[in-house]
Amino acid sequence: MTHPFLDLAPLSAAHFASIEDRVARLLSTEQDVVIMQGEALLPLEGAIRGTAGTGTTALNVVTGPYGQTFGNWLRDCGATVIDLAVPFHTAVTAAQIREAFAEHPEIDFVSLVHAEAATGNTNPVAEIGEVVREHGALFYLDAVASIGAEPVLPDAWGVDLCVIGAQKAMGGPAGVSAVSVSERAWARMAANPAAPRRSYLSLLDWKERWVDGGRKALLHAPAQLEMLALEACVERIEGEGLDAVMARHASAAAATRAGAVALGGGLQPYVHDASDAAPVATTLRVPEGADASELVAKALAADPVLPLAAGGSALAQSMIRVNHYGPDATRGAVHSSLAGLGAALAESGFPVDLEAARRAVAKAWG
């Protein structure tokens, strides 16, 4: 008995390389792009461990939980870490990066998350990249949440290591991810005696055995289904047009923000300024006396497919996240999410105006 997911011919090296090329075009990059066979934490950690060591002084920007994780990895590598933390309801600025370099001119590595889906903010990477280039530091960027929702341009922005995943705005699989690597980053890895080698974390293994070998022999058996899903995902984006996909996410974010305010019930955008808000997801602060986890649970009990989640850890009681990304970056998903939250708020005794929310969504969608 055959099965369409199981009885497949092996994925060839040429097919694998062709998918890498399409991802590179998505990033508008001439850098080497390596697709790694695991969720995005694999290249995120591998890139840090490959380029950071005891001689590294890293400026680690913390605008959400992933920035905290990167700082831990950098310290584990023996790097001297300078954390630049800003409140999670805002974004870091290029001026703050410049001030950090002025205070610590020895900084030679900068780690930054582009968009924090967990907190709903996004950082001005193009402006920050200019400052990083002025000082010659290596620039590491987590663009896992932002790719597909807003521009991600590693070459134009001077990003040396740009990690992406397909599971959010791209609407694709979580089991594979990719990283673009500049020549400077490859050189830093080659000179780093602590860089992983002969390891699943090793980017150098991919460089020496895959890229330098002309991409003719894969290091190991690829994740066949995930690679095919990634190819289908990129093909769908190419068909719709990347600009159209990003516009859809921007409209979903603007409509969710406006609709939540119009809904009433005490909901407020968690990220104060709309210019700092990420297109991939909108975070909302619940009114005093409400519990975010309980409101989300009530909404999901009525409609389990709503793209809603309570905030993580300390934010579980105060924050609601509307994950309007990928297939949920639609007017219908925004309407349904606000209707579900409105019903949950009303059930908890908070006054809401669903019609006002619908009008606000229609006006803001663009």
Side-chain angles (χ1 to χ4, degrees):
M1 181 177 178
T2 62
H3 193 288
F5 289 160
L6 299 179
D7 301 309
L8 297 170
L11 189 73
S12 69
H15 194 172
F16 192 105
S18 73
I19 299 172
E20 283 185 336
D21 290 340
R22 293 175 86 163
V23 172
R25 288 195 293 273
L26 189 68
L27 291 169
S28 298
T29 185
E30 298 296 322
Q31 298 178 2
D32 291 324
V33 169
V34 176
I35 297 178
M36 299 194 76
Q37 304 298 281
E39 197 268 339
L41 282 172
L42 175 63
L44 285 169
E45 183 175 357
I48 281 181
R49 295 195 182 279
T51 52
T54 53
T56 302
T57 300
L59 175 63
N60 179 52
V61 182
V62 181
T63 59
Y66 280 99
Q68 295 168 333
T69 297
F70 301 159
N72 292 336
W73 286 338
L74 287 161
R75 290 182 178 89
D76 191 51
C77 291
T80 299
V81 181
I82 300 154
D83 284 322
L84 172 55
V86 303
F88 290 177
H89 62 256
T90 187
V92 73
T93 66
Q96 289 172 304
I97 302 294
R98 193 179 299 279
E99 289 170 9
F101 274 109
E103 293 178 16
H104 303 278
E106 69 275 18
I107 291 169
D108 62 359
F109 184 100
V110 174
S111 52
L112 175 70
V113 177
H114 188 182
E116 289 270 11
T119 50
N121 55 29
T122 192
N123 293 301
V125 182
E127 298 168 21
I128 291 169
E130 290 183 13
V131 179
V132 176
R133 278 199 304 273
E134 289 173 12
H135 292 83
L138 204 73
F139 193 9
Y140 163 101
L141 184 69
D142 171 355
V144 173
S146 54
I147 182 66
E150 54 188 307
V152 177
L153 301 167
D155 292 13
W157 296 344
V159 177
D160 295 287
L161 295 154
C162 182
V163 177
I164 66 168
Q167 69 266 33
K168 287 190 168 64
M170 288 177 66
V176 289
S177 47
V179 54
S180 64
V181 188
S182 72
E183 288 300 322
R184 292 198 323 146
W186 285 133
R188 178 80 70 99
M189 287 184 221
N192 181 9
R197 290 173 170 82
R198 295 170 297 282
S199 163
Y200 208 63
L201 283 171
S202 177
L203 282 167
L204 276 177
D205 286 357
W206 283 96
K207 166 69 170 170
E208 295 167 359
R209 296 169 56 191
W210 172 247
V211 177
D212 292 348
R215 299 192 298 176
K216 294 179 180 177
L218 289 161
L219 276 65
H220 45 71
Q224 167 107 321
L225 294 179
E226 287 82 1
M227 288 296 294
L228 294 175
L230 176 61
E231 181 180 41
C233 161
V234 174
E235 184 175 339
R236 186 168 58 187
I237 292 171
E238 291 170 346
E240 183 177 351
L242 180 58
D243 288 344
V245 174
M246 292 190 294
R248 191 158 45 80
H249 283 81
S251 292
T256 302
R257 190 177 180 93
V261 172
L263 179 66
L267 285 181
Q268 291 295 326
Y270 183 83
V271 177
H272 292 182
D273 294 333
S275 60
D276 293 338
V280 70
T282 296
T283 48
L284 303 169
R285 193 182 303 275
V286 301
E288 187 176 350
D291 184 291
S293 294
E294 291 179 5
L295 291 173
V296 169
K298 288 178 180 179
L300 292 178
D303 188 350
V305 302
L306 292 176
L308 300 174
S313 303
L315 299 173
Q317 291 184 312
S318 60
M319 177 198 284
I320 292 173
R321 191 171 72 242
V322 184
N323 295 316
H324 46 65
Y325 54 69
D328 288 317
T330 64
R331 197 182 312 231
V334 172
H335 278 302
S336 297
S337 296
L338 292 174
L341 290 176
L345 283 164
E347 184 182 339
S348 300
F350 295 91
V352 297
D353 188 340
L354 290 174
E355 184 54 38
R358 281 193 286 268
R359 290 195 301 268
V361 169
K363 183 177 179 181
W365 188 266

